[in-house]
Amino acid sequence: MEKISNIKNVNDLNYKLKVSLEEAKRDEKFKNFIQSINLSDDELMKHTSSLKDSFKEYQNCLQCKNLFECKNNINGYCYLPVLKDGMLSFSYVACKYKNKSIKENFYLKNVTAIDIPREIREAKMKDIYTDDKNRVEVIKWMMNYIKKCKSGEFDKGLFLHGNFGCGKTYLISAMFNELAKNKVKSVIVYWPEYLRSLKSSFQSSSNDEFKEKFNEIKFAKLLLIDDLGAESVTAWNRDEILGTILQYRMQESLPTFITSNLDIKELEEHLSITTNNKSEKVKARRIIERIKQLTLDMEMISKNRRN
């Protein structure tokens, strides 16, 4: 025979659940919201807390005008009840603004961005600034490069150097994204952070992780090495990592782009580690020669738009 105390506990719980649901239904909007779910109150009361959370997000969506105004837990998604085979569950459903964004940015799946901020990942050619004459030459070159690539002609890339915040990375990312619309796959990597991550995986027990990270850059159809010269140089990351990647891409004629705050001469000094060692100078010179083989050297000195 079931203990009377157990029966009482169950009854108490059911009573509390029922009271909680009835209190929530005092809000006419909430009441209308749950009426669309074809379940009895005895079933709905088991989910009162989740229903209240869902209702809150649903109300947020009714008042929302764009993704930037989204107040829900997951941007662009609403936590909604789903009834299937008489069982109630909850899932995150994309809103109309999110669905539109997904459709418009579907081509971005062709671009792999490693440690790159969202603003850069979603860069668009139509949004680039053209109000500075110091940017005109670079923009014209990129427009011509896009035109050639779309016709199947992939020339050497660009070593784009200039002052901090002038938009070097944004411009090349916008170009890569434009090419992605034609299913051209590319990789954009923030070099200093990539080296830290690569070193960490190299020192771990998983050699497969290191190989995967390394080969993703080495074999990329189109590659942007962002902010070369901002890293702490070691013989390992210069010769074994950067040197090997550049050597392979030079041999295979794979388009390679590089951004830096340093010009080519300054970059050579940076890569020398110590300028008093002749051997180090030779190794740095070897890297520079590979960069020259792979890229066209262009400078862009422009307004710092990060301020």
Side-chain angles (χ1 to χ4, degrees), residues 206-229:
S206 176
N207 195 39
D208 290 340
E209 182 185 356
F210 170 80
K211 286 183 178 178
E212 184 179 348
K213 287 182 177 181
F214 182 71
N215 289 337
E216 184 173 32
I217 306 302
K218 180 179 176 181
F219 300 131
K221 169 72 175 178
L222 200 60
L223 174 66
L224 168 58
I225 296 176
D226 181 41
D227 216 0
L228 182 62

Side-chain angles (χ1 to χ4, degrees), residues 111-293:
V111 183
T112 300
I114 304 172
D115 297 307
I116 299 295
R118 179 180 174 182
E119 178 188 6
I120 302 299
R121 293 198 309 269
E122 299 180 357
K124 294 178 175 63
M125 291 299 292
K126 68 180 182 64
D127 293 333
I128 62 176
Y129 292 103
T130 57
D131 57 348
D132 189 336
K133 65 179 182 180
N134 293 322
R135 297 160 60 93
V136 172
E137 184 182 358
V138 176
I139 294 171
K140 283 184 177 179
W141 184 92
M142 289 182 175
M143 295 298 290
N144 186 53
Y145 193 87
I146 291 171
K147 184 178 180 180
K148 286 184 176 181
C149 288
K150 286 184 176 180
S151 65
E153 182 182 348
F154 288 84
D155 288 340
K156 64 164 59 178
L158 194 66
F159 174 68
L160 184 59
H161 60 93
N163 60 291
F164 176 83
C166 67
K168 302 181 293 295
T169 308
Y170 189 96
L171 284 175
I172 298 177
S173 295
M175 184 182 73
F176 278 20
N177 287 339
E178 187 66 27
L179 292 172
K181 295 176 182 178
N182 284 61
K183 299 181 179 181
V184 177
K185 294 187 178 296
S186 59
V187 175
I188 302 171
V189 57
Y190 178 60
W191 191 246
E193 185 57 40
Y194 170 75
L195 290 177
R196 283 190 284 270
S197 175
L198 196 65
K199 182 179 180 181
S200 177
S201 64
F202 180 73
Q203 293 173 335
S204 71
S205 59
S206 176
N207 195 39
D208 290 340
E209 182 185 356
F210 170 80
K211 286 183 178 178
E212 184 179 348
K213 287 182 177 181
F214 182 71
N215 289 337
E216 184 173 32
I217 306 302
K218 180 179 176 181
F219 300 131
K221 169 72 175 178
L222 200 60
L223 174 66
L224 168 58
I225 296 176
D226 181 41
D227 216 0
L228 182 62
E231 76 285 4
S232 296
V233 182
T234 66
W236 177 77
N237 66 39
R238 179 194 61 196
D239 304 329
E240 301 301 321
I241 305 304
L242 180 60
T244 302
I245 290 171
L246 295 179
Q247 179 66 23
Y248 178 83
R249 298 187 66 80
M250 185 177 70
Q251 291 172 345
E252 299 299 319
S253 300
L254 291 171
T256 305
F257 290 73
I258 298 170
T259 65
S260 180
N261 291 332
L262 308 177
D263 62 28
I264 202 74
K265 184 178 180 181
E266 292 169 334
L267 182 60
E268 183 175 349
E269 292 176 359
H270 172 74
L271 294 169
S272 296
I273 303 179
T274 168
T275 56
N276 296 323
N277 188 309
K278 185 176 180 180
S279 175
E280 291 298 321
K281 287 184 177 182
V282 171
K283 291 176 181 178
R285 166 54 55 179
R286 190 177 295 129
I287 297 292
I288 295 301
E289 289 304 318
R290 289 170 184 166
I291 290 175
K292 288 181 176 179
Q293 286 289 322

